[in-house]
Structure formats: C-alpha cells, structure tokens
Amino acid sequence: DAGVIQSPRHEVTEMGQEVTLRCKPISGHNSLFWYRQTMMRGLELLIYFNNNVPIDDSGMPEDRFSAKMPNASFSTLKIQPSEPRDSAVYFCASSFGGRVTGELFFGEGSRLTVL
Amino acid sequence: KQEVTQIPAALSVPEGENLVLNCSFTDSAIYNLQWFRQDPGKGLTSLLLIQSSQREQTSGRLNASLDKSSGRSTLYIAASQPGDSATYLCAVDSNYQLIWGAGTKLIIKP
C-alpha cells in the first residue's frame, strides 16, 4: 500500500484565499484524522471521522474550517478565508478501529503558509 | 483530564549507547499507548503500540514497556545509531481520545 497520501505538500497563499487540503487514507482503514502541528502548540486534533462520519470536530478552530469525507478513500480540509495564523503543517492520519484508536498511520503533511 | 508528559524535551547521546525515553500519564484508565518518531519535515511514523493488557512490545532494537499503575511508559533503544535521531512522541488512547505528549528530540552523535 502507498500509505496515506496528502496533497498538496506545500501551499503558499495570501490572506483571504480559500485553501483545500486533500487526503487519501490507507485502503481498508475506517478512521481518519486531521491534525495541525505548529511549534507553539504542537500536534492538535482538528477532526476525526469514523466510517466517513464526523465523530469529533471539537478541535476545528472556527467556522472558517470545514472538513468532508464523501467516501472511504477521500477527505478534504478547507479553510475559507485563510489567515496568517493558519500557517502550520496539516497532517492526515488513518487507522482501523472503532472508538479505540488502532495503530495510526500519518501522511507526509501539507505545509501551509498564509501571507 | 488526562495529561501526557515527556521528559526530557531533548536528549543528546553518543552513538552506540543504550537509552531510555520516558512518557508519563496522569490517568491509568487507558486503552493503549503508541510510540511514534518524527523526522524533520516528515510525518509521524508508528513504532510500537501497546494494548492496556500488555506489559511490553518489541520491534528490532526498540522495546516499549507499559506500567499503567504508575502511569509510565518507556521506550528503550539499544545500540543507538545516528539514524535514530528524530523526535519521539507518545500518545495514549484515553476515554476514546488520543492524548499526545510534546515529544523528546533525540540526537545521536557519531
């Protein structure tokens, strides 16, 4: 398996623009997580899907952030409008599990810079 | 509320040494604990997952132990190599949430 695939790897955009990050989880995994990592705040869970259904979105910073998982092989994280404080590395991870997390596999991340 | 602590934040040792990384958690009611490594500019790679009913897991030169009663896990790295240089993070599944430590940055000097 190719592992968790994220795109784009790097994104530079201007404040106010829409940003869409994409993720393809490992085939057969039924849980998908979006994380954000910064030097100041470390690794933060944004949203967690199980069987394509959002289970916990309490980490989504505000209404500017939205995530979808239309099917088991694809998820998007959208930021609209983007702000400089959104600059971070965004990771997608997947696992096989129910409420208890199984072994977690991460993508390489999408590094977002908002000018 | 579960809290996960990793001390020290950074560690530098000569190549060849055996070393131990620590992970402490405040609530012993966990489902499992995972150890990850993160190389600069990369994603996290799962190293070992220990279920709450297990005491330890081994993979190659790595051995992770779990003592729920004392709220501790250790990651033992034998015969360290420069390629082991990375940040090591632990995460506990507690109340159906993964709670993360801040990580230990490990540097192995040739």
Side-chain angles (χ1 to χ4, degrees), chain A residues 9 33 35 37 43 48 56 58 91 99-109 111, chain B residues 31-32 34 36 38 41-47 49 51 89 93 95-98 100:
Chain A
R9 289 296 313 279
F33 305 78
Y35 281 94
Q37 187 177 43
L43 202 58
Y48 153 53
D56 181 2
S58 59
F91 288 107
R99 296 195 69 188
V100 176
T101 308
E103 187 178 6
L104 206 53
F105 294 82
F106 281 76
E108 292 288 291
R111 181 176 294 275
Chain B
Y31 295 103
N32 61 48
Q34 297 189 53
F36 297 84
Q38 185 175 27
K42 300 288 187 181
L44 284 74
T45 300
S46 176
L47 297 173
L49 183 152
Q51 302 290 353
L89 297 96
D93 191 324
N95 197 27
Y96 306 120
Q97 292 183 340
L98 265 188
W100 292 83

Side-chain angles (χ1 to χ4, degrees), chain B:
Chain B
K1 177 186 173 185
Q2 179 75 269
E3 293 182 0
V4 179
T5 304
Q6 292 186 251
I7 295 174
L11 181 64
S12 180
V13 300
E15 179 180 4
E17 282 199 5
N18 303 324
L19 59 98
V20 173
L21 304 180
N22 297 298
C23 174
S24 301
F25 46 95
T26 55
D27 186 346
S28 62
I30 68 171
Y31 295 103
N32 61 48
L33 183 146
Q34 297 189 53
W35 282 94
F36 297 84
R37 69 174 279 169
Q38 185 175 27
D39 295 283
K42 300 288 187 181
L44 284 74
T45 300
S46 176
L47 297 173
L48 291 163
L49 183 152
I50 310 177
Q51 302 290 353
S52 62
S53 58
Q54 296 175 319
R55 296 284 293 184
E56 64 179 321
Q57 282 280 9
T58 298
S59 176
R61 295 182 293 109
L62 305 180
N63 176 277
S65 69
L66 176 63
D67 184 344
K68 287 200 306 179
S69 61
S70 66
R72 287 191 63 206
S73 176
T74 61
L75 180 66
Y76 174 84
I77 303 177
S80 58
Q81 304 170 357
D84 295 328
S85 298
T87 297
Y88 290 80
L89 297 96
C90 67
V92 301
D93 191 324
S94 178
N95 197 27
Y96 306 120
Q97 292 183 340
L98 265 188
I99 309 299
W100 292 83
T104 295
K105 184 175 182 179
L106 176 64
I107 297 174
I108 307 298
K109 297 176 289 186

